[in-house]
Structure formats: structure tokens, C-alpha cells
Amino acid sequence: MTAEPAIRLEPGSAVPPYEQVRHQIADLIRHGLLPAGKKLPPVRQLAADLGVANGTVARAYQELEASGLVTTRRAAGTRVAAVTTLTPEARAASLLERAQEYVLAARQLGADDPELRAALDAALAGPAGAAVTLVPEPGSG
């Protein structure tokens, strides 16, 4: 049985919680971990699981819908939309953005360049697409 992808909030982050949720769900969709047609948790359920206000998750879902990544229907809930393949330029821009986020997070931890590279090498050597769950980890809310 495959676990659902996880959403984790970083309480001390300068990134607002709705943006953390939006960003993580968008990444899960783009990487195929949330396939087209997959139903997302209801706003109230995910908000309760994450320990945030309903409006936080609602805003994330609205922005995901505005970007074409999800669709919302009254009786059917919010589902992952069919996503077109990223162009090489869009993929490169997305990779650069993620790399910049990684470097920033590593710097905040006090890591130097050799530590960053070692961690990246270890991540690249690890199992791709390891199973995760779409529920918060204990203590992440």
C-alpha cells in the first residue's frame, strides 16, 4: 500500500502558511505524486490536520486552481487537473527556484558549500519517489 504525499509546514518560515501549502501541493502534482483526478482533502480537514485556519488552505486551493493545477466542483471537491508537461525552460526555472530555496534553508542551518553538496549528492543517491503521506507529521502544525 502506497502512502499519501505529506504536507509539512515550517512555523518559523518567512513564507506564509498558505504559500507553503500551495507550493508543496504544486510540486507533488508536477512530480506526478498526485496524479490527475486525485481528490485533495477537503479544506476543513487539511486545515485541521495542519493546525491552520480554513482560510489558509482555501487560499492555497484557490491559487492552485487559478494556476490550472486543480479544479473544484461543489459536489466533487477539489481534484488534480490534467497537467501538461513542462517546457524545458519552465523546468529549468522551477529547478533554479527549488535550488535557491534549498541553498537558503541550508544557509539558515549554518551549512557551508561542501555540506550542501554532500547533502545533495546523498539525496540524488537515495531512492527516487520515496513514499510520503498527505498528512502533517506530528509536531509540524
Side-chain angles (χ1 to χ4, degrees):
M1 180 167 126
T2 304
E4 291 291 323
I7 301 296
R8 295 177 189 90
L9 295 180
E10 294 293 329
S13 174
V15 178
Y18 81 89
E19 178 59 20
Q20 292 181 51
V21 172
R22 186 212 59 80
H23 181 83
Q24 290 177 55
I25 292 174
D27 277 351
L28 292 169
I29 292 169
R30 288 186 184 112
H31 294 110
L33 295 173
L34 290 176
K38 174 77 174 172
K39 186 174 181 180
L40 298 182
V43 168
R44 287 182 182 167
Q45 177 188 334
L46 186 55
D49 290 347
L50 294 171
V52 296
N54 291 346
T56 298
V57 175
R59 181 168 178 187
Y61 280 15
Q62 288 167 352
E63 294 200 9
L64 288 164
E65 187 165 22
S67 66
L69 293 174
V70 301
T71 58
T72 302
R73 302 285 180 259
R74 212 176 224 323
T78 301
R79 294 184 181 271
V80 176
V83 180
T84 58
T85 305
L86 291 175
T87 65
E89 295 80 14
R91 184 175 34 254
S94 183
L95 285 170
L96 177 59
E97 179 184 345
R98 299 319 173 274
Q100 290 169 334
E101 291 168 358
Y102 168 70
V103 170
L104 176 61
R107 294 290 188 234
Q108 290 173 340
L109 292 172
D112 59 17
D113 287 358
E115 289 174 301
L116 276 123
R117 289 187 182 97
L120 182 57
D121 288 342
L124 288 169
V132 290
T133 57
L134 186 60
V135 294
E137 290 187 337
S140 68

